[in-house]
Amino acid sequence: MARIDLDGVSVTFPIYDSRRRSLKNRLIAAGTGGRIEYRTASETDIEALADVSFALADGARVGLVGHNGAGKSTLLRVLAGIYAPCSGTIHVQGHIAPLFDISLGIDPEASGYENILIRGLFLGLSRREVKAKTEEIAEFTELGSFLDLPVRTYSTGMQLRLAFAVATAIDPEILLIDEGIAAGDAAFLEKANARLRAFASKASIIVLASHANQLIREICDSAILLEQGRVLMRGPVEEVLAAYEARRSK
Ligand SMILES: Nc1ncnc2c1ncn2[C@@H]1O[C@H](COP(=O)(O)OP(=O)(O)OP(=O)(O)O)[C@@H](O)[C@H]1O
């Protein structure tokens, strides 16, 4: 059984080399990013998440929507355990598959095959499990003999093929997706989308951050609207998207 509980979670980024800008610039930026608090002339806090609380149980498919810098990626990173909250608590029950920063941990000096093993172990698979999945992963990448060569010899799209194939080879309980997952050329994108759907159908909980309303409608049955790091609304997808559109056109 998978479950996520967040209670009063806040994340603040302290910046130590900031310069105060004019009032006009501050007003222009007011609709983008987290809340900025100027502590001293050179020290600034960016409040990326403020007092975020919600619970997700088995079967939840939640879309995160909000303006640029609203806190969507930060929230995904908190859920993945990459960032610890500055205050508040988070409890996650279930194996997490983060489908973002997917190239993180890929070793450019190691071969494609070696990276399949490294990345698989990092995602929580045993050596035996990675071995059993290697052929399927290799086939999906269509990288052929390149898998014997160091990853630094791959193009960006080839690296994404490898990273995506490994990230989606596990059986996830909790799937965290940042929309920028678009990988590679058109043919691969089609294959990647099909694999993503199959992958998503196996997960108990999905949290998807996206600016693509259609993708949210397709995958999610509820949504959370974030604004300057705060949860403004949580509810059925159409209601939340309508509220978001209404705020954007203000
Ligand atoms: N590593 C960091 N250091 C400092 N500030 C950060 C860092 N990461 C995020 N922020 C700030 O936190 C706030 C939330 O950023 P986040 O990336 O979570 O937004 P987002 O909703 O995912 O935005 P987008 O839709 O543009 O991807 C922003 O104001 C951003 O400037």
Side-chain angles (χ1 to χ4, degrees):
M1 209 188 76
R3 195 173 164 84
I4 295 175
D5 286 285
L6 268 82
D7 189 12
V9 166
S10 299
V11 173
T12 301
F13 294 105
I15 314 290
Y16 295 102
D17 56 354
S18 61
R19 299 267 180 281
R20 268 175 194 261
R21 298 286 174 201
S22 69
L23 181 63
K24 184 177 153 220
N25 274 355
R26 281 199 246 164
L27 291 176
I28 289 171
T32 318
R35 210 170 56 80
I36 299 178
E37 187 179 324
Y38 297 92
R39 276 193 286 134
T40 65
S42 61
E43 291 177 15
T44 301
D45 283 340
I46 300 178
E47 195 177 43
L49 290 179
D51 197 20
V52 173
S53 303
F54 59 78
L56 303 177
D58 263 337
R61 267 126 179 77
V62 184
L64 300 180
V65 298
H67 58 75
N68 285 129
K72 304 179 294 294
S73 304
T74 305
L75 181 51
L76 286 181
R77 292 202 167 95
V78 169
L79 295 176
I82 297 168
Y83 292 158
C86 299
S87 59
T89 57
I90 168 161
H91 293 289
V92 175
Q93 197 179 315
H95 186 82
I96 291 188
L99 216 52
F100 52 88
D101 298 343
I102 56 172
S103 306
L104 215 69
I106 293 276
D107 178 355
E109 293 304 324
S111 72
Y113 279 119
E114 284 164 344
N115 270 295
I116 290 176
L117 176 63
I118 297 167
R119 191 68 194 162
L121 294 176
F122 172 77
L123 288 169
L125 297 177
S126 67
R127 202 169 273 267
R128 184 192 296 245
E129 284 170 323
V130 180
K131 262 204 157 141
K133 288 175 188 280
T134 297
E135 263 329 290
E136 189 268 329
I137 295 171
E139 221 168 90
F140 184 81
T141 65
E142 297 176 0
L143 289 172
S145 312
F146 274 98
L147 288 169
D148 292 313
L149 301 181
V151 165
R152 68 178 150 73
T153 64
Y154 295 9
S155 69
T156 310
M158 289 163 77
Q159 290 187 32
L160 277 170
R161 279 175 178 248
L162 179 68
F164 180 85
V166 185
T168 51
I170 56 175
D171 292 329
E173 281 176 288
I174 299 171
L175 179 55
L176 308 174
I177 314 174
D178 217 340
E179 69 173 346
I181 196 77
D185 53 38
F188 184 71
L189 211 61
E190 212 169 285
K191 249 175 79 163
N193 278 333
R195 185 162 163 119
L196 195 57
R197 284 200 180 82
F199 187 58
S201 69
K202 287 187 269 179
S204 300
I205 294 178
I206 298 176
V207 185
L208 162 70
S210 179
H211 291 282
N213 291 353
Q214 201 40 45
L215 193 63
I216 300 248
R217 285 191 177 98
E218 232 176 85
I219 293 184
C220 307
D221 51 24
S222 71
I224 291 175
L225 172 58
L226 288 171
E227 193 175 285
Q228 296 209 310
R230 292 172 191 276
V231 174
L232 271 197
M233 182 182 178
R234 180 178 175 194
V237 169
E238 289 308 329
E239 281 175 31
V240 174
L241 287 180
Y244 179 38
E245 292 303 327
R247 291 190 77 80
R248 278 205 306 183
S249 54
K250 251 194 208 167

